[in-house]
Amino acid sequence: MSEEWSLNKSAGVPLHQQIYDRIKEKIMNGEWPVGTRIPPQRELAERFGVNRSTVVYALGELAADGLIEAMTGRGTVVSNNTWNLLSSAPSPDWNRYVSSGFYQPNLRMIQAINRAEADPGIVRLGTGELSSELLPAGEMLKSLNRSQDGAFSLGYSEPKGSLALREAVSRYLRGKAINASPASILIVSGGLQALQLISLGLLHRGSTIFVENPSYLNSIHVFQSAGVHMHGLPMDEEGLRTESISRLKRQHNASLLYTVPTFHNPTGSLMSSARRQELLNICSRERLPVIEDDVYGDLWFEQPAPLPLKARDQQGLVLYLGSMSKTLGPGLRIGWIVGPEPVIDRLADIKMQTDYGSSALSQHAVAQWLSEGLYEEHLTRIRRELKLRRDYTLRLLEENYRELADWNCPQGGFYIWLRFKQPLSIRALFDQALTEGILLNPGMIYDRDDRQHLRLSYAYASMEELCDGLQHLSRMIRELMQRRASD
């Protein structure tokens, strides 16, 4: 629970009074202007860590004082504040501004996940990032201290990013059989910015793109907010199915195809070498550009993944995305786009208009780790640790979920795609688990029609949390299934 929502339960002030004071303060100082819809009672109870009845009492006092009111179809909204009482002119209708913005809000479930991830006491069974114990923070500081004075600058870098980093990335990509000169590489602030730049610079509103179904929720959201339509393509155990691409491309006049072929998010699947070549052949014939998102490509366990699509690309068809967020540290916010120089020039121009370049410190650190061999040493350790966590999680599933669900055995990456054998209210499971301190990533946030899956991650939770969390969750699932069967 963040400090903003924490209550002092040992103080002499009743909890309902503390909640009243906290909400009133937000209203009075303008954080919650007139017309703001306040969170539902259940959500407030979760945030404050109290019973719902305590929240109801506090809201009743606020309503009695004329600060909030229940409105049909809108829930409970702020109805008054000091400024409203003292000023002859009405306060600005910030809700109208908020609703007018073109960038679409997250689904409520995703917003709940984002809030819960800030709670250090919650067990995060679906989080797609490395735990802090796997991130090389200490080693990073030591390496920065060893840097030569002349090798680092706090000034702006070139439009395409630090030349030293682009040269290091170029050498690194040769190990994946990708030949890319520094001029064809753009450094970006993570893979998500790469997709945003592509949406703004290469697509027009109303364009249609193909995505895997299910697909990474944040990638989908970037495209949606840019006014781009998405058409989902089915998957199987070898990855994206290709048989309908040609027909659908003509039917929808698709502009490009977005894929995560290596250790897919959320399913963890690995596209076979034959399927990759088949996909590239079809897209080449149809002149359908491809965005290849390869942020998990370095995280293989027993053997390296098949060559990326970009390594097979002879026509400049593929825009290749890489990132350090899943391997070296999400807080670095460093990734890259590889593609034809005219495309990279266009995207670099847009990036300069939006943020004037990625962090100089992060670019310097990543260049150093790639150039000095530190990154490969780190990957060796991370692969070993993730494989141990994967094997441990699979054992826990075998012991506790054999009768409840099916699952895959990923060959790398972070994720296990759990499919329930019997119908189950995923929303009820999500809510109950969150109430009991477990955060889940339901399949419906990757495919709105999905009511059978959970994305499990073995990358973030500790071994102890994985054990306790998965055992506790299995008991919840059995109870929900029994309740559904008796209804």
Side-chain angles (χ1 to χ4, degrees), residues 126-140:
T127 295
E129 64 183 83
L130 292 174
S131 67
S132 59
E133 65 190 55
L134 298 180
L135 297 176
E139 295 92 330
M140 183 72 70

Side-chain angles (χ1 to χ4, degrees), residues 59-68:
L59 295 182
E61 293 293 302
L62 289 162
D65 289 346
L67 292 170
I68 63 174

Side-chain angles (χ1 to χ4, degrees), residues 267 390 393-410 415-421 453-454 456:
T267 68
R390 178 205 64 176
T393 303
L394 291 174
R395 287 197 298 272
L396 289 170
L397 292 176
E398 186 64 30
E399 293 169 2
N400 298 279
Y401 290 79
R402 189 185 310 171
E403 301 169 0
L404 302 175
D406 300 313
W407 55 87
N408 60 321
C409 177
Y415 309 117
I416 294 173
W417 194 231
L418 192 76
R419 186 188 71 86
F420 294 113
K421 294 180 179 180
H453 290 93
L454 291 179
L456 296 180

Side-chain angles (χ1 to χ4, degrees), residues 132-283:
S132 59
E133 65 190 55
L134 298 180
L135 297 176
E139 295 92 330
M140 183 72 70
L141 288 174
K142 291 177 183 177
S143 65
L144 287 172
N145 286 332
R146 293 198 310 270
S147 297
Q148 297 179 358
D149 292 340
F152 173 60
S153 169
L154 282 175
Y156 292 123
S157 61
E158 300 176 40
K160 293 181 182 179
S162 155
L163 178 58
L165 176 54
R166 287 185 287 123
E167 289 175 339
V169 171
S170 177
R171 292 190 296 269
Y172 155 78
L173 290 175
R174 287 177 206 151
K176 298 176 178 286
I178 296 174
N179 293 314
S181 69
S184 66
I185 299 171
L186 171 64
I187 303 303
V188 292
S189 300
L192 206 55
Q193 187 187 48
L195 295 174
Q196 190 170 43
L197 292 173
I198 291 169
S199 299
L200 294 173
L202 304 181
L203 299 171
H204 59 80
R205 294 186 72 84
S207 297
T208 296
I209 67 170
F210 292 150
V211 298
E212 291 148 328
N213 190 25
S215 188
Y216 173 46
L217 62 97
N218 282 328
S219 302
I220 289 176
H221 206 76
V222 166
F223 293 128
Q224 284 177 332
S225 291
V228 173
H229 304 300
M230 285 161 297
H231 187 89
L233 299 178
M235 301 178 66
D236 60 23
E237 63 277 0
E238 289 190 63
L240 180 67
R241 292 171 55 181
T242 61
E243 65 270 16
S244 61
I245 290 177
S246 295
R247 174 178 57 81
L248 291 172
K249 198 264 184 183
R250 292 188 292 271
Q251 182 178 339
H252 296 279
N253 192 28
S255 298
L256 57 79
L257 182 147
Y258 170 75
T259 179
V260 187
T262 304
F263 313 130
H264 177 260
N265 184 7
T267 68
S269 66
L270 177 65
M271 188 182 291
S272 67
S273 182
R275 182 68 60 82
R276 291 172 191 238
Q277 193 60 55
E278 183 181 306
L279 174 62
L280 197 61
N281 290 343
I282 291 173
C283 290

